Amino acid sequence: MDLVLLCVFLPLVTVAWGQYGDYYYGPYNYGDNDEWANVYRQGFNFQCPHGQVIVAIRSVFNKKEGSDRLWNYACMPAAQSLGEPTECWWEEINRAGTEWYQTCSNNGLVAGFQSQYFPSVLDREWQFYCCRYSRRCPYSCWLTTEYPGHYGEDMDMMMYTYDYYIRGATTTFSAVDR
C-alpha cells in the first residue's frame, strides 16, 4: 500500500517542484563588490538590456563621502505573460534636496536609473527609465517601507518571484541629516 501511495504522490511532487522553479529567481549576480553603477559624488546612468527590468537593488552609505551612496542593480527578463516592451522613456527628474514620490507613468516598469550628485545639498537627483509592455501589468501594488529604515543603513532589496516589479520609489530628505 505504501508503494502505491508513493507512486501516486511522487509525480505530483515532481510537477509542483517544476512549477515552483518557474516562479523563483535565484541569487542575483551583481558582479564583484567593486562593480558599482557609480562612484561616490558622481553621476551615473544604468539601463537594463531591452526586455529586462530591475529586480534587485543594492546600496551602501558613506557619510565621509558626502553622505552619498554607491548603487548596484540586477536585471532579469520580464515575465512572458507581459508580452514584449512596446515603448520606453525617461520620466521627469526628481530634484535633489527635496522629498519625492514617483511611479512610472503609463503602467510602466522601472528598467533603469539616472542620477546626479549635488554637493551643495549632499543629495542626488533621480530619473527613472520606464518601459511599458504589450500586456498590462497588474495594479495590485504597494509601497514597501523596509529599505532602508534609516538614511544611513545599507540596502539589499530583491524581487524573489515573477509578477513582482518595481514601479517607482519614494524618498525623504532632511536638511539636518542630509
Side-chain angles (χ1 to χ4, degrees), residues 17-129:
W17 185 260
Q19 289 174 347
Y20 176 78
D22 290 342
Y23 295 98
Y24 176 75
Y25 291 133
Y28 295 106
N29 181 8
Y30 289 104
D32 295 333
N33 284 337
D34 295 339
E35 293 182 25
W36 296 95
N38 67 307
V39 295
Y40 290 113
R41 302 179 190 181
Q42 298 294 314
F44 69 90
N45 179 321
F46 179 90
Q47 286 179 262
C48 293
H50 183 72
Q52 295 189 18
V53 293
I54 302 280
V55 293
I57 301 172
R58 178 185 290 169
S59 178
V60 295
F61 177 81
N62 189 321
K63 188 166 184 114
K64 292 179 183 177
E65 291 288 347
S67 292
D68 197 15
R69 290 179 168 273
L70 294 176
W71 294 92
N72 199 342
Y73 306 99
C75 304
M76 293 212 46
Q80 290 180 353
S81 61
L82 291 177
E84 293 296 317
T86 57
E87 63 178 317
C88 295
W89 65 95
W90 287 101
E91 286 287 342
E92 292 184 24
I93 294 173
N94 297 296
R95 298 293 175 196
T98 63
E99 291 187 7
W100 52 264
Y101 169 87
Q102 183 175 1
T103 57
C104 287
S105 61
N106 204 18
N107 203 35
L109 304 175
V110 177
F113 296 98
Q114 186 167 275
S115 181
Q116 185 65 41
Y117 179 80
F118 289 88
S120 59
V121 290
L122 302 175
D123 196 20
R124 292 184 163 275
E125 72 178 17
W126 290 90
Q127 194 171 17
F128 297 175
Y129 185 67

Side-chain angles (χ1 to χ4, degrees), residues 131-157:
C131 293
R132 185 170 61 110
Y133 286 76
S134 57
R135 295 191 188 108
R136 250 181 129 72
C137 177
Y139 272 105
S140 57
C141 300
W142 67 91
L143 180 65
T144 181
T145 57
E146 297 178 33
Y147 304 103
H150 182 263
Y151 82 97
E153 289 180 17
D154 292 346
M155 173 179 154
D156 200 2
M157 183 177 96

